[in-house]
Amino acid sequence: MTTEYHIPVMAETAAEFLVGNPAGTCVDCTLGGGGHTAYLLERYPLLHIIGIDCDAQAIAVAGERLAVFGDRVRLVRDNFKNIRTVINDCGLTTVDGVLADLGVSSRQFDDKLRGFSFESPILDMRMDDRDGSGAMDLVNTTEEGALADILYRYGDERRSRQIARRIVESRRIQRITSGAELADIVASAKRRTGRTHPATTVFQALRIAVNGEMDNLRSLLDAIPLVVNTGGRAVVISYHSLEDRMVKQSFRSLRLREEGGAVLLTKKPREASDEEISVNPRSRSAKLRAIQL
């Protein structure tokens, strides 16, 4: 088990905003390798955490890492959109804090059999292999216009129409079955600029669509005022402009709706320091927002 997969983004900042009750219970909605949870449990010896992740591998890896904390941590394989059910199943109705780091695990990208990467021999991209169909079905069955809309909306892809057309032309000849095939098709429709692979935004858009990431985030944000007790806090770390906009609007709405209650702890999103970025480059695009209910 390598530590490179377990560097939590803005761990200290997240902890300071998240934990108002050091002896309370918080939910880590995006457990991953357990980095944030381990940091929190080490820093606050009386804190308890419910860790949620829909990825079986993440649950297994984090379970090994967090075993030393005993019953102070409880791990649940589920989607964070179901946070209310998870909390209730743990015997609680509300918690003191909710943390969500919306970044995708490097472990998922590096495992070519998960179908996330440009070199993958398959095309899947599901974070939870129990759910629906993967990216292969999406790229082979989605109507051209709808496919272009996905690429533009979730990937900010300016050549979405040309790329969607090229995908449809290719799949008429032969079904697209691997990440490597798709990356080559995209590259044939889009000139490479700089060091970034031309298929980067396309793969991002497909991943978001396959996993329903925006809908899941909306469900989580809607649940926050229902599961976080008075005085409790919520912290969300996002990496995509659509995600950050959704969090910003939700938190502002809560502040206006919960008159005399909800307080924005971050009027502007916090970002990683230059020092952290040098150690953990994936923190470069992270934006952290926090609210107290």
Side-chain angles (χ1 to χ4, degrees):
M1 190 188 304
T2 57
T3 57
E4 65 181 291
Y5 292 113
H6 306 299
I7 303 175
V9 171
M10 287 192 280
E12 182 177 357
T13 304
E16 290 173 353
F17 280 119
L18 178 68
V19 182
N21 177 7
T25 298
C26 293
V27 178
D28 182 349
C29 293
T30 48
L31 181 68
H36 279 108
T37 288
Y39 181 88
L40 289 164
L41 293 172
E42 288 170 357
R43 178 165 175 167
Y44 303 101
L46 299 179
L47 190 69
H48 287 72
I49 291 184
I50 299 169
I52 304 174
D53 205 295
C54 61
D55 188 323
Q57 185 181 39
I59 292 290
V61 170
E64 291 182 16
R65 181 181 192 183
L66 301 171
V68 65
F69 297 105
D71 62 5
R72 292 178 56 211
V73 59
R74 179 167 178 175
L75 307 186
V76 180
R77 186 185 180 193
D78 207 331
N79 191 301
F80 60 61
K81 68 181 180 180
N82 301 317
I83 186 172
R84 292 185 70 187
T85 300
V86 171
I87 289 173
N88 291 339
D89 288 347
C90 290
L92 302 171
T93 54
T94 59
V95 292
D96 299 288
V98 169
L99 169 66
D101 177 348
L102 305 177
V104 181
S105 168
S106 298
R107 185 181 293 276
Q108 291 171 331
F109 277 112
D110 290 348
D111 184 350
K112 290 183 173 56
L113 295 182
R114 298 296 298 271
F116 285 93
S117 79
F118 308 134
E119 299 85 21
S120 292
I122 64 170
L123 187 57
D124 193 323
M125 300 191 188
R126 286 177 298 169
M127 295 179 184
D128 187 340
D129 59 11
R130 302 170 299 181
D131 287 347
S133 55
M136 183 170 66
D137 284 341
L138 191 153
V139 300
N140 283 291
T141 62
T142 305
E143 184 267 335
E144 181 178 323
L147 183 57
D149 288 344
I150 289 172
L151 303 185
Y152 182 78
R153 182 181 182 191
Y154 296 142
D156 296 322
E157 176 52 67
R158 294 181 180 180
R159 296 185 61 82
S160 60
R161 304 256 171 234
Q162 295 93 323
I163 293 170
R165 187 178 307 119
R166 189 64 57 86
I167 289 173
V168 171
E169 290 171 353
S170 298
R171 77 191 191 193
R172 285 175 182 157
I173 299 171
Q174 180 175 323
R175 185 174 173 84
I176 302 166
T177 60
S178 73
E181 287 178 70
L182 180 60
D184 287 343
I185 292 167
V186 174
S188 72
K190 179 182 177 183
R191 190 183 313 169
R192 188 182 190 118
T193 57
R195 301 171 67 181
T196 303
H197 193 290
T200 298
T201 56
V202 171
F203 275 60
Q204 171 187 288
L206 294 175
R207 189 206 76 228
I208 290 173
V210 164
N211 293 288
E213 292 178 29
M214 294 304 170
D215 290 338
N216 295 340
L217 177 57
R218 170 53 58 199
S219 295
L220 173 64
L221 294 171
D222 288 346
I224 282 174
L226 304 176
V227 301
V228 177
N229 60 35
T230 301
R233 301 173 180 184
V235 175
V236 180
I237 304 172
S238 60
Y239 300 80
H240 187 282
S241 59
L242 282 178
E243 294 172 339
D244 181 58
R245 191 178 309 126
M246 190 182 295
V247 175
K248 176 182 177 180
Q249 293 173 347
S250 177
F251 282 6
R252 284 187 173 178
S253 176
L254 272 177
R255 179 179 63 82
L256 295 173
R257 192 168 75 225
E258 303 289 332
E259 186 175 350
V263 177
L264 290 177
L265 302 178
T266 51
K267 292 182 179 180
K268 293 183 178 181
R270 296 297 180 91
E271 299 179 353
S273 66
D274 291 340
E275 181 180 2
E276 176 172 358
I277 292 171
S278 68
V279 175
N280 187 13
R282 67 187 293 267
S283 67
R284 184 183 306 277
S285 59
K287 296 184 182 300
L288 182 152
R289 294 184 186 271
I291 191 169
Q292 179 172 302
L293 279 294

